Amino acid sequence: MQNFINVIIPIPLKKLFTYSITPSEAEFLKTGMRVAVPFGKSKIYTGIVAKIHNDAPVAYEAKEIHQILDDAPIVNDKQLKLWQWISKYYMCTLGDVMRAALPSAFILESETIITKHVKTIDESILKDDEFLVYEALQHQSSLKIHDISNILDKKNVLPVIKRLIEKEAISVEEEVYEKYKPKLVRYVKLHANFSSETELQKLLDDLSRAPKQRHVIMTLFSVSASTKKPVKVSDLSTESDASVAIIKALIDKGILEEYHIQTDRVQYKGDDNEVTKQLNSYQKTALNDIKQSFNNYNVTLLHGVTSSGKTEVYVKLIEEAIGNNKQVLYLLPEIALTTQLVTRLQNYFGEQVAIFHSKYSAHERVEVWNNVLQNSAKAKIVLGARSSIFLPFNNLGLIIVDEEHEQSFKQFDPAPRYHARDTAVVLANLHEAKTLLGSATPSLESYFNAKQNKYGFVEITKRYNNVLMPDIELVDIKDKLKKKRMKGHFSDKLIEEMAETLKEGHQIILFQNRRGFSPIVECKTCGHSPQCPNCDVSLTYHQYRNQLRCHYCGYVVGMIQDCNACGSQDLDSKGFGTEQIEEEVKQLFPDYKVARMDLDTTRGKYGYEKIITALEQQEIDILVGTQMLTKGLDFRNVKLVGIMNADNMLNFPDFRAHERSFQLMLQVSGRAGRTEERGKVLIQTYNPYHNILQQVSTNNYIDMFNEQMNDRYNYKYPPIYKQIKITLKHKDYNTVDAASIWFAKSLRQVFSEHVLGPESPPISRIRNQFHKNILVKIPKKQSLFKTKEAIIKINNSFLSIKGFRSVKLILNVDNF
């Protein structure tokens, strides 16, 4: 009887591929192990074993696997179940999910190796570029593709390689290589030959002529006696003030013996020396209510006003879960938030806290993965951004989703386009664990679920230490402009409040949700503004690099001196971003330290940390930033928050614009006055009578919820109706237009009036691809499964139409 395995390969294919294995391999293999498998003509992929069985494939002959890469599974059964749910619910392939879930270092790549053919050939038949490659192979046994690129100094070398294969000058093969390299630290110890006292005495006498070497040996004794731990080469070199060469000489002589120990790249240096804080009466009530709620519900929503001390409630729940020997997942929307929380949690739980997000290197992520898989004491609590839901938990007891309303929990590109909050609820269900969603401004979906009794609901209505909620004031800039009371983008009221706050020694946060200097550069003579050649957007001016940039495709060009259309040098910039605010603040308050926090200033691994730490230590007086600033950060000395322009958020073409604006403004307001003194928030707007702004100024979540839900009922939007967004992309407008009309027509035959579109989005061309959107709304009573089946059927028919095959189609379930 033959043995086969089904393998998940990290490419977007609908079905799993079957490979044949020997009986001994069948005994050794388990689901969740990695295998290297041949695919296509010459590619080798890393696959995950999904099933071991005896059914031969019908449509093709099963190839043999290349090699087995693991001794034990690196993906567990519960993860595979989660992968299958994501692939079904979010309408993507298991290959897509695998690519997103595994750290890239686990996905081995094959590399093409070029070697010289065994038989010699007549070199006169070779062209110049072919001869260069052939000659290089006389000196080197093999070359890789990028080596040949360097030799020929051109990117596309495949035609040259193809010609050489045809002339039988070279042969080509694929080699698989492992990306993850464990970190090894060098240690030294005295050689076993010198363990007796007489031998040791003899050694020290012999070394009397080499005082530096003798000093190294004496230092080794004193260090190992005091620490009682193995001695690193680097430590020994520092302690004895000797160069590494001297230590190497001792190793070469056989006096010292070197050995290596594998260590994690990220290690916690401190102790878990802090006792968790005592809760106040509101927090205690909330904690008890949450525990009660967990008896009846698997998911509970905690609605706590900003600065009410939600984190301390989470800490008590984490303590309890760890006490029951369970793992905890703490999800955060932004990496900026993890930097502040890590310190707090490590003070309480020491090295039991592991961190997982995209600013960590591939190697560091593999180490966290392995620690979670082995249920190690180093990863009892995992703190991470959305991708940490894919970690291989064995014993999960609690998931906390902090700032659950955040848009950053949704993955937009590439597939799987999952929402981490919703996926976390499913993950907790698989582990029979509990989920706590926390926010000061819950999403309408979660609040609606709580109202419908699907989730438990707990509230904290008072700030910690009974600090008052900030005083929120709306500043009418239309009126200020009329009365000429604006300096640049600052109203006289804002400048006055800033001066007073700085005088009292407090700090200020200014919020502007747009990076760069100004979004549009315009010629005053003819009105032309520079556009991105690849997208339908104007280029944003970035002053600090004196360049124009596209925020969609990354296109960059130096700042123009004269207009491209008419040659006039009279250029003007319209609108404003964080850079311009930063510059204006520096001119208004030259004696104070100003910093900026946006995507441009937080590029590196520790980009966030540097700025946040500087603000905490009061090295910065005024911080200008984008929405990164709004999320749950805790600054003790910030008294004033200024929102530079509330209108561009409110007037965004999206059904959630008002909900989002409310959340953003309330969250950013929550950064003010978190200790004794009451904070102040100034919101500059052209329309102070707007309903949402009025609700923000009175911190009235319930009114906002009722008003928005009314709209959602009337216009059939989530959470009343579910929705799936279908995006079609192509470089030719007519093709994508025809394709989208065909697709929408086919959908209407099934779903009639519940289909909107096709419609061009506000930015209709990105990276030279024209976009068309179609929206399918799904009423509560309609089966989601059947709806998806119908869409997939239409998609399959669509792919069989010759003219539409080149159109890229994206299915985005719950696209908000």
Side-chain angles (χ1 to χ4, degrees), residues 322-587:
I322 288 179
N324 295 332
N325 200 25
K326 294 281 191 186
Q327 292 170 308
V328 177
L329 172 59
Y330 193 140
L331 279 176
L332 289 159
E334 281 274 357
I335 300 168
L337 263 176
T338 58
T339 50
Q340 219 186 23
L341 246 169
V342 167
T343 327
R344 262 167 96 173
L345 288 184
Q346 282 181 337
N347 286 347
Y348 297 148
F349 301 109
E351 65 164 19
Q352 296 182 76
V353 183
I355 303 123
F356 191 83
H357 57 63
S358 59
K359 284 271 199 278
Y360 271 42
S361 72
H363 295 315
E364 288 165 348
R365 284 196 269 176
V366 167
E367 280 157 13
V368 174
W369 182 284
N370 289 335
N371 285 338
V372 174
L373 184 65
Q374 288 145 17
N375 209 349
S376 148
K378 284 184 182 170
K380 284 282 176 214
I381 305 161
V382 176
L383 186 66
R386 61 173 180 252
S387 57
S388 45
I389 56 158
F390 290 118
L391 286 166
F393 296 100
N394 297 309
N395 192 15
L396 193 60
L398 174 68
I399 299 181
I400 293 168
V401 185
D402 199 8
E403 310 295 341
E404 64 82 31
H405 64 277
E406 261 307 324
Q407 196 185 350
S408 326
F409 279 129
K410 171 76 177 168
Q411 158 96 350
F412 285 101
D413 262 324
R417 294 172 176 81
Y418 65 98
H419 197 297
R421 178 195 61 215
D422 303 345
T423 312
V425 171
V426 175
L427 175 66
N429 223 359
L430 289 171
H431 284 269
E432 294 177 5
K434 300 295 180 191
T435 310
L436 180 66
L437 310 177
S439 175
T441 51
S443 61
L444 293 192
E445 294 80 40
S446 298
Y447 203 82
F448 179 73
N449 282 335
K451 286 258 191 206
Q452 300 278 315
N453 275 335
K454 261 175 91 177
Y455 293 174
F457 182 66
V458 178
E459 257 185 314
I460 309 180
T461 51
K462 290 275 191 290
R463 286 183 130 188
Y464 196 73
N465 283 346
N466 284 328
V467 177
L468 288 169
M469 292 300 286
D471 170 24
I472 301 176
E473 195 178 316
L474 302 172
V475 179
D476 185 350
I477 43 182
K478 188 164 70 184
D479 180 55
K480 297 284 181 194
L481 277 165
K482 266 186 202 159
K483 294 177 178 168
K484 300 210 163 46
R485 286 190 182 160
M486 294 287 288
K487 257 192 189 169
H489 295 98
F490 289 78
S491 60
D492 55 351
K493 177 75 183 159
L494 182 55
I495 295 172
E496 190 185 308
E497 289 286 351
M498 283 173 75
E500 200 174 307
T501 306
L502 291 168
K503 207 159 134 194
E504 290 170 6
H506 292 293
Q507 292 163 299
I508 299 168
I509 284 177
L510 296 176
F511 170 70
Q512 168 58 12
N513 210 8
R514 209 179 254 266
R515 63 192 173 100
F517 186 83
S518 67
I520 298 171
V521 173
E522 190 180 74
C523 168
K524 282 185 175 174
T525 312
C526 71
H528 173 79
S529 64
Q531 300 287 312
C532 172
N534 314 316
C535 313
D536 282 343
V537 284
S538 49
L539 296 169
T540 302
Y541 174 43
H542 283 248
Q543 193 181 37
Y544 78 113
R545 286 205 172 141
N546 197 31
Q547 53 186 212
L548 295 167
R549 300 187 116 166
C550 172
H551 287 177
Y552 287 85
C553 69
Y555 172 81
V556 175
V557 64
M559 176 59 184
I560 53 169
Q561 298 309 311
D562 35 32
C563 171
N564 295 338
C566 69
S568 159
Q569 292 191 336
D570 198 2
L571 300 174
D572 183 25
S573 58
K574 291 258 192 294
F576 60 104
T578 46
E579 265 187 42
Q580 195 166 342
I581 296 298
E582 181 187 25
E583 190 160 292
E584 285 183 21
V585 173
K586 281 177 179 168
Q587 285 166 2

Side-chain angles (χ1 to χ4, degrees), residues 104-296:
S104 58
F106 275 144
I107 301 174
L108 301 187
E109 295 287 335
S110 64
E111 195 157 280
T112 308
I113 303 288
I114 288 119
T115 50
K116 205 173 118 204
H117 211 288
V118 186
K119 64 173 193 181
T120 48
I121 59 153
D122 177 13
E123 291 178 9
S124 62
I125 62 167
L126 300 177
K127 293 183 178 173
D128 290 352
D129 48 6
E130 295 165 11
F131 179 73
L132 283 173
V133 177
Y134 190 71
E135 190 186 32
L137 283 169
Q138 314 273 21
H139 305 291
Q140 254 173 301
S141 59
S142 67
L143 292 171
K144 292 179 181 171
I145 295 281
H146 66 87
D147 299 329
I148 294 176
S149 287
N150 294 340
I151 292 165
L152 300 180
D153 196 23
K154 59 178 173 183
K155 278 183 182 166
N156 186 12
V157 293
L158 296 176
V160 181
I161 293 168
K162 191 166 171 273
R163 292 201 303 268
L164 280 165
I165 293 170
E166 283 163 3
K167 290 172 182 172
E168 294 188 346
I170 59 168
S171 52
V172 174
E173 61 198 58
E174 291 284 320
E175 180 188 62
V176 176
Y177 65 97
E178 177 78 80
K179 288 184 191 170
Y180 172 65
K181 290 187 178 68
K183 184 181 179 185
L184 299 172
V185 179
R186 274 173 80 207
Y187 287 85
V188 280
K189 60 182 178 188
L190 194 64
H191 201 284
N193 297 347
F194 304 104
S195 52
S196 69
E197 226 168 281
T198 49
E199 286 296 326
L200 187 58
Q201 194 52 55
K202 189 167 173 281
L203 170 69
L204 292 173
D205 293 343
D206 290 347
L207 287 178
S208 55
R209 290 187 300 281
K212 282 186 178 172
Q213 291 185 3
R214 186 189 163 110
H215 180 56
V216 170
I217 300 293
M218 299 307 281
T219 310
L220 178 67
F221 291 148
S222 68
V223 171
S224 56
S226 62
T227 61
K228 305 230 175 347
K229 284 180 183 170
V231 181
K232 288 184 198 171
V233 172
S234 54
D235 291 353
L236 182 59
S237 172
T238 315
E239 291 289 326
S240 61
D241 203 18
S243 67
V244 182
I246 296 170
I247 297 171
K248 190 178 181 298
L250 285 164
I251 293 167
D252 293 343
K253 281 183 184 175
I255 295 167
L256 291 180
E257 202 178 330
E258 73 169 336
Y259 60 103
H260 293 82
I261 297 179
Q262 188 178 330
T263 61
D264 282 356
R265 283 172 168 79
V266 179
Q267 287 181 320
Y268 175 56
K269 302 285 194 296
D271 307 309
D272 43 346
N273 48 13
E274 245 181 73
V275 182
T276 55
K277 288 194 175 79
Q278 283 297 311
L279 301 186
N280 64 21
S281 57
Y282 300 110
Q283 289 170 314
K284 275 182 189 155
T285 311
L287 181 64
N288 293 331
D289 290 352
I290 290 167
K291 287 180 185 172
Q292 284 301 134
S293 167
F294 278 159
N295 293 333
N296 307 318

